[in-house]
Amino acid sequence: MIRALAALLLAAGLALTPAFAANAFAANSGPEALSGVPLGKGGVVEVSGLVPPLDFTMTEAETGKTVTARDFRGRTVLLYFGYTNCPDVCPDTLYKLHMLFRALGPAAKKVVFLFVTIYPKRDTDAVLAKYVALFDSHFLGLRGTPDQIYRLTRRYRVVASVHPSPDPQKYQVVHSALVYVFDPKGRARFIIPDLGLTRHPDYKALAADIEAVSRSKPGSLAGWLARLG
């Protein structure tokens, strides 16, 4: 089980180096440490204690104002990296997240989805705001400077690169397809892998997993690892 989790995280760009694991343990070994989310059948992967808390300073496309992670405290946050001209994975993922928000029902009011563009030069505030609004009113677009985006993708070990070219055959934009889920205190709890590639997601189970985030109790990373073994 541990090997399978490590392989998945490595494939997502989440390198579990000894230093990274040690820092994660140290950051989550106090009274606010996590025991993990009681998972259902949604196919999610728990990353409690392995991924840094939500932290960023970006521009909210809908208002043009600077926002930070603190502006979203009190709500469960779903974080995703992509770009508006993505031909397949992004629109498919956003549509399925819309279906997930429908499955949440009234609980969706306590959840927000943040779409971080990795291509801010093309995705202006107006373009990004219009794009995410096409899918769901719970979605917000975030833009940043190249440095802000680099630091944010590096923080969450996200693969993201843009290689413009006059030749359409050589024009390439690459990004990870994971959805990160953070609890109302900004702590990373689990990821939803490859939602855009999943033909028939179990929306009911995913909704239950997300609702469980706000009900899970503090614990320790060591206890979580013991349960995996």
Side-chain angles (χ1 to χ4, degrees):
M1 178 77 177
I2 294 178
R3 287 185 179 180
L5 173 58
L8 177 57
L9 293 175
L10 285 169
L14 287 167
L16 294 181
T17 63
F20 183 81
N23 290 337
F25 183 87
N28 292 281
S29 58
E32 291 297 320
L34 307 177
S35 62
V37 179
L39 304 180
K41 299 179 181 179
V44 303
V45 177
E46 184 179 5
V47 293
S48 299
L50 299 174
V51 174
L54 189 64
D55 185 32
F56 63 81
T57 298
M58 304 286 281
T59 298
E60 186 178 88
E62 288 72 17
T63 63
K65 296 180 179 179
T66 298
V67 294
T68 70
R70 285 193 168 275
D71 291 304
F72 301 96
R73 291 291 189 266
R75 286 190 284 177
T76 297
V77 173
L78 279 62
L79 183 71
Y80 180 81
F81 297 82
Y83 65 109
T84 62
N85 270 29
C86 181
D88 40 38
V89 176
C90 287
D92 200 21
T93 298
L94 267 61
Y95 170 74
K96 288 170 181 174
L97 284 168
H98 163 68
M99 297 300 293
L100 172 57
F101 271 80
R102 289 184 60 181
L104 282 167
K109 295 180 180 179
K110 298 180 180 179
V111 184
V112 62
F113 170 67
L114 303 180
F115 182 98
V116 180
T117 177
I118 64 167
Y119 202 169
K121 184 176 181 179
R122 173 182 284 178
D123 293 341
T124 63
D125 284 350
V127 168
L128 184 56
K130 183 177 180 180
Y131 180 77
V132 296
L134 290 173
F135 293 92
D136 198 285
S137 60
H138 298 92
F139 294 4
L140 294 176
L142 296 183
R143 294 178 70 245
T145 65
D147 182 61
Q148 287 174 324
I149 294 173
Y150 171 77
R151 283 189 278 113
L152 190 59
T153 55
R154 182 177 176 83
R155 180 177 180 82
Y156 297 111
R157 307 301 197 272
V158 170
V159 175
S161 63
V162 179
H163 304 283
S165 172
D167 182 354
Q169 298 298 322
K170 297 181 180 179
Y171 200 106
Q172 187 179 46
V173 182
V174 178
H175 65 91
S176 299
L178 301 176
V179 178
Y180 293 77
V181 179
F182 299 83
D183 69 18
K185 290 187 177 181
R187 301 171 299 190
R189 306 310 296 266
F190 61 82
I191 56 175
I192 307 174
D194 299 327
L195 182 61
L197 301 178
T198 303
R199 296 189 65 179
H200 303 291
D202 190 336
Y203 295 113
K204 184 176 180 180
L206 283 171
D209 289 335
I210 289 174
E211 290 186 73
V213 163
S214 61
R215 299 195 303 268
S216 57
K217 298 179 180 180
S220 68
L221 177 61
W224 174 73
L225 290 174
R227 291 201 308 278
L228 281 181

